[in-house]
Amino acid sequence: MNIQRFDNDEALSAALATAVLESIVATPALVLGLPTGRTPLGLYRELRERSRGNRIDWSEVRTFNLDEFAGLDPSAPGSYRAFMQAELFDYVSIAPGNIGFLNGMAADLKAECRRYEDAIEAAGGIDLQILGIGANGHIGFNEPADGLCANTHVATLTEATREANAQRFGGDWRRVPDRALSMGMSTILSAREIVLIATGGEKAEVVRGMIEGLITTRLPASILQVHHRVTVMLDRGAGRSLSGVD
Ligand code: GLP
């Protein structure tokens, strides 16, 4: 893993935004895999600001988001689709038809998962997958377990993950759906390049396990160790437990 350290979230977000925008300029039909959560907020802010006035042409870019809650309409305020519209899509020149998203309201959720895998394949696969990491080591909604799913699937959310997502549901974790649709481990590992971002001291232990520990389904992000092109971008807090760091 290529580890990059930054003084703070702002510096990390700026550096990643530069890398993403340079990739779009070099490859206008770039296929991006995108995360939600608090960690990428700075990235999306930078992308919005630097794309203003059509300075960056997003018209051929395609995106696939990692996950979405089950049973929520895409327009519902708590949905990840609504998050992405508000943080990025409404502000850049991306074609609506180029936005790939799991539909948590699909009548047949398994069929919806298969549709998503097919759509990613039809797009030629993901060029650059950006990931956050849950405090319990999950990526997307691939939660710690005895076994993990390879492909896009219906996931049952742990109470801890529902609590971590409660902010978008009036602070009440019981209002957070208990199921979600998520890319699987193989979906994620099939990306040609992966960048995982983590900020804040509450991620420090899980970041250490992901980078320095054994590969284990109990820390799903540790499986990224097998990918040949992974960059981990950390602020001071998230990197503070790595060996060789005071
Ligand atoms: C959420 C998302 C993940 C995200 C993670 C971390 O539950 N499903 O894709 O990476 O939790 O979120 P945050 O960045 O808010 O810490």
Side-chain angles (χ1 to χ4, degrees), residues 6-116:
F6 297 87
D7 280 344
N8 50 46
D9 178 40
E10 286 72 32
L12 184 160
S13 300
L16 181 53
T18 299
V20 169
L21 294 176
E22 282 178 356
S23 296
I24 293 173
V25 170
T27 310
L30 191 74
V31 183
L32 273 174
L34 297 175
T36 49
R38 280 175 293 275
T39 317
L41 285 173
L43 167 68
Y44 295 145
R45 184 188 63 238
E46 291 282 335
L47 292 177
R48 286 195 307 267
E49 285 175 4
R50 297 199 218 168
S51 301
R52 206 182 288 153
N54 274 339
R55 266 179 291 167
I56 303 289
D57 180 6
W58 286 72
S59 61
E60 289 181 58
V61 173
R62 297 209 209 170
T63 62
F64 288 94
N65 263 78
L66 273 168
D67 45 20
E68 178 60 286
F69 292 108
L72 272 196
D73 191 86
S75 64
S79 76
Y80 282 164
R81 178 62 192 250
F83 172 99
M84 289 304 304
Q85 289 297 143
E87 297 298 329
L88 182 67
F89 297 152
D90 285 348
Y91 297 90
V92 297
S93 57
I94 191 165
N98 285 353
I99 298 171
F101 231 95
L102 283 154
N103 177 10
M105 287 298 274
D108 182 341
L109 292 178
K110 282 191 178 169
E112 172 62 5
C113 293
R114 281 193 297 275
R115 179 198 67 80
Y116 208 55

Side-chain angles (χ1 to χ4, degrees), residues 66-179:
L66 273 168
D67 45 20
E68 178 60 286
F69 292 108
L72 272 196
D73 191 86
S75 64
S79 76
Y80 282 164
R81 178 62 192 250
F83 172 99
M84 289 304 304
Q85 289 297 143
E87 297 298 329
L88 182 67
F89 297 152
D90 285 348
Y91 297 90
V92 297
S93 57
I94 191 165
N98 285 353
I99 298 171
F101 231 95
L102 283 154
N103 177 10
M105 287 298 274
D108 182 341
L109 292 178
K110 282 191 178 169
E112 172 62 5
C113 293
R114 281 193 297 275
R115 179 198 67 80
Y116 208 55
E117 290 284 335
D118 291 345
I120 293 171
E121 198 184 320
I126 292 171
D127 294 310
L128 172 60
Q129 175 69 58
I130 300 167
L131 297 172
I133 181 170
N136 65 2
H138 74 221
I139 47 177
F141 275 128
N142 295 277
E143 299 274 29
D146 288 340
L148 299 173
C149 290
N151 298 319
T152 302
H153 59 282
V154 182
T156 302
L157 304 185
T158 62
E159 202 175 300
T161 294
R162 292 170 73 197
E163 271 165 13
N165 279 275
Q167 204 197 338
R168 295 179 58 74
F169 293 85
D172 181 0
W173 70 269
R174 281 166 301 234
R175 287 173 54 197
V176 180
D178 59 1
R179 291 191 311 158

